[in-house]
Amino acid sequence: MPVSDDVGRRTADTGETHSANRAWWDGEAAEYYAEHGAFLGDDEFVWGPEGWTEEMLDLLRASSGQRILEIGAGAGQCARWLMRHHEVEVVASDLSAGMLRVGLEVSERTGVAPPLLQCDGLALPFGDASFDTVFTAYGVVPFVADSSAVMAEVARVLRPGGRFVFSTTHPIRWAFADDPTEAGLTARLSYFDRTPYVESDDSGRATYVEHHRTMGDRIREIVAGGLVLEDVVEPEWPQDNTSSWGGWSPTRGAVIPGTAIFVCRRP
């Protein structure tokens, strides 16, 4: 997310976005786990920096015998939680081999080992109507140039009546600097500017890309993808969470939402 008005804002297509983010997550996987692993847990299911969990919210409504796919799974923490708490078949997938290597280490240490699959959320290697549920907690959706294609691909692999639940940065945050202090409560950017945030190396090559969509964009993409939107959850910041995660913090969380969770269904 941008930290000042114009820094890092430029166009980035699907190819550049894919290449940059795959390399970034490969390179940052171990450090990311070292920094955030305690908060996320090795076999917990956390929907976002606010700390709300699937155990608290029950958004997937998982039940015995279901086949569930996690996209953008990172180290597979959420998939492990599902395996511990429900008699379900879970596949945890991610674009980054680095993140999956961390996941393999965690699986070996915890003894809870969901299948870990490297694949692109834009081209899932599964047949039509293969899963009862697909989900991602802050994965895939903001890290692709064409998030509408993600919705269509998820709808393809879902069985009729299946659920897709995803959390992502709340669109309103893109109007504000990525600052956890009160300075981050002043709107500096246009909410309607969809120009991606791009970090680049000295040669101008993208090394990290994140794409913005408005709330209306997200809803239209869901519907156009063949899904029905059943709920949008905007988690409030819990009083007992005194930690900050980048631009997410108790100071900002008391005033504006940091996360949006979309609950969808394939008709």
Side-chain angles (χ1 to χ4, degrees):
M1 286 289 294
V3 294
S4 63
D5 290 5
D6 297 315
V7 172
R9 303 297 292 271
R10 68 168 177 82
T11 59
D13 63 16
T14 292
E16 185 177 27
T17 298
H18 179 282
S19 177
N21 285 338
R22 179 173 178 175
W24 192 91
W25 286 105
D26 282 348
E28 295 292 325
E31 184 176 342
Y32 183 88
Y33 177 77
E35 181 177 359
H36 300 297
F39 179 83
L40 294 174
D42 287 338
D43 51 6
E44 299 295 333
F45 192 144
V46 182
W47 278 112
E50 294 82 6
W52 290 93
T53 67
E54 175 61 8
E55 186 171 9
M56 298 171 180
L57 299 177
D58 191 28
L59 298 177
L60 297 191
R61 299 180 184 173
S63 60
S64 296
Q66 287 187 329
R67 192 163 189 242
I68 299 176
L69 172 65
E70 180 178 11
I71 59 175
Q77 291 96 332
C78 299
R80 286 190 200 87
W81 182 89
L82 284 166
M83 290 179 66
R84 285 199 303 113
H85 289 272
H86 298 281
E87 295 181 359
V88 295
E89 179 184 346
V90 186
V91 178
S93 67
D94 200 279
L95 178 66
S96 167
M99 291 301 293
L100 294 176
R101 279 193 292 269
V102 172
L104 181 60
E105 295 170 1
V106 175
S107 291
E108 292 174 346
R109 185 172 65 253
T110 62
V112 183
L116 302 174
L117 173 69
Q118 184 180 12
C119 68
D120 188 344
L122 290 167
L124 299 172
F126 302 102
D128 297 353
S130 296
F131 293 94
D132 299 290
T133 300
V134 180
F135 75 92
T136 184
Y138 269 83
V140 183
V141 176
F143 301 112
V144 297
D146 188 1
S147 49
S148 62
V150 174
M151 306 302 153
E153 184 67 351
V154 166
R156 182 186 66 79
V157 302
L158 273 176
R159 293 167 180 160
R163 294 170 75 81
F164 176 40
V165 184
F166 68 94
S167 63
T168 189
T169 303
H170 196 289
I172 194 62
R173 285 197 67 234
W174 281 74
F176 298 84
D178 199 31
D179 187 327
T181 71
E182 289 188 359
L185 292 174
T186 300
R188 300 181 182 177
L189 302 163
S190 170
Y191 169 77
F192 302 102
D193 183 358
R194 280 86 162 176
T195 307
Y197 169 67
V198 181
E199 295 178 4
S200 305
D201 60 20
D202 292 341
S203 69
R205 180 179 62 90
T207 57
Y208 175 91
V209 184
E210 193 169 342
H211 291 264
H212 167 51
R213 298 291 182 271
T214 67
M215 186 65 76
D217 293 338
R218 290 275 177 238
I219 293 169
R220 283 186 289 274
E221 288 181 349
I222 289 166
V223 174
L227 299 165
V228 174
L229 180 63
E230 294 193 331
D231 195 8
V232 178
V233 180
E234 299 169 295
E236 296 187 37
W237 197 276
Q239 291 185 351
D240 60 353
N241 183 359
T242 59
S243 302
S244 295
W245 180 322
W248 290 263
S249 69
T251 297
R252 299 182 75 191
V255 180
I256 59 173
T259 295
I261 309 175
F262 297 83
V263 181
C264 315
R265 173 177 54 84
R266 179 187 169 184

